[in-house]
Amino acid sequence: MAEILLIYSTTDGHTREICQRLKQVIEQHTHRVTLKSINDESGVDLRPFDKIVLGASIRYGKHSKQVYGFIERNEQILDSKPNAFFSVNVVARKPEKNKPETNPYLKKFLNQISWHPKELAVFAGKIDYQKYRFWDRLMIRLIMLMTNGPTDPHTVAEFTDW
Ligand SMILES: Cc1cc2nc3c(=O)[nH]c(=O)nc-3n(C[C@H](O)[C@H](O)[C@H](O)COP(=O)(O)O)c2cc1C
């Protein structure tokens, strides 16, 4: 049995939801999973865990600053264990952009950090217009308009392939 730590960076909760699903699936294989928000991570001792997974969503083209900080502070310990990173974004709803080697955000991110995650994944995220503030809703609708996505402001579109 392995002790696995899943750390997530989320704004609207979808990356947490993906982690909860991963937890469920991993626990079926009799491993133990601890789920932590990156906001609460500073009090967590990473050393007792056998494997560490970091998942983060994209907002306006970037993963959050905390993700970079976490990696900088913990690169050595991450490297000493099996580890993985996954990115959540809506560009990944497109089949030609849904793999680590084809997703532009993940590719750019990996060029910005010195950590080389041992496993990588990309998951398509979710759009829920009514949850967003006016400006964010407008911007995402514009992005969707330019990329042939849904623009109806009442859309809830979950692109994740569960
Ligand atoms: C304000 C805002 C900006 C976003 N910017 C991008 C973006 O630049 N590229 C992209 O592919 N997805 C973008 N997304 C989509 C998010 O990555 C997607 O909604 C994801 O599911 C959010 O995950 P979270 O709830 O864990 O934060 C954006 C979403 C919001 C609300």
Side-chain angles (χ1 to χ4, degrees):
M1 189 192 75
E3 289 281 352
I4 299 168
L5 176 63
L6 299 185
I7 300 184
Y8 59 85
S9 162
T10 184
T11 307
D12 296 315
H14 197 65
T15 307
R16 181 178 56 239
E17 221 173 292
I18 290 173
C19 282
Q20 279 162 345
R21 174 63 66 90
L22 290 173
K23 181 177 192 295
Q24 245 178 24
V25 173
I26 297 168
E27 282 176 346
Q28 282 166 8
H29 293 82
T30 68
H31 300 301
R32 278 235 300 257
V33 178
T34 301
L35 212 63
K36 276 275 164 208
S37 160
I38 200 151
N39 300 322
D40 307 328
E41 156 280 320
S42 58
V44 181
D45 183 2
L46 305 186
R47 285 169 301 180
F49 292 97
D50 301 308
K51 304 178 186 197
I52 301 174
V53 178
L54 174 61
S57 63
I58 286 284
R59 214 169 165 89
Y60 293 126
K62 294 179 187 148
H63 295 106
S64 75
K65 283 204 179 90
Q66 284 114 307
V67 172
Y68 292 88
F70 173 80
I71 292 169
E72 256 174 56
R73 285 193 308 280
N74 296 297
E75 190 169 338
Q76 222 175 350
I77 191 151
L78 285 168
D79 277 337
S80 70
K81 301 168 189 285
N83 65 68
F85 177 81
F86 71 85
S87 178
V88 178
N89 54 78
V90 290
V91 156
R93 75 188 186 282
K94 303 202 164 200
E96 70 278 14
K97 293 187 177 166
N98 71 359
K99 294 185 184 61
E101 49 298 351
T102 58
N103 186 260
Y105 300 119
L106 185 52
K107 281 170 42 179
K108 186 172 161 202
F109 179 68
L110 292 174
N111 282 328
Q112 291 170 332
I113 57 170
S114 51
W115 176 40
H116 299 287
K118 292 177 182 154
E119 301 290 338
L120 292 166
V122 180
F123 298 119
K126 179 179 174 180
I127 294 285
D128 186 350
Y129 284 123
Q130 289 303 309
K131 257 194 172 180
Y132 308 148
R133 287 173 303 183
F134 173 80
W135 195 246
D136 287 338
R137 181 157 58 235
L138 189 67
M139 292 304 287
I140 301 302
R141 287 181 72 204
L142 263 176
I143 293 169
M144 284 294 133
L145 186 69
M146 291 187 301
T147 61
N148 298 319
T151 53
D152 179 331
H154 294 97
T155 303
V156 179
E158 200 169 75
F159 298 108
T160 316
D161 178 358
W162 294 104

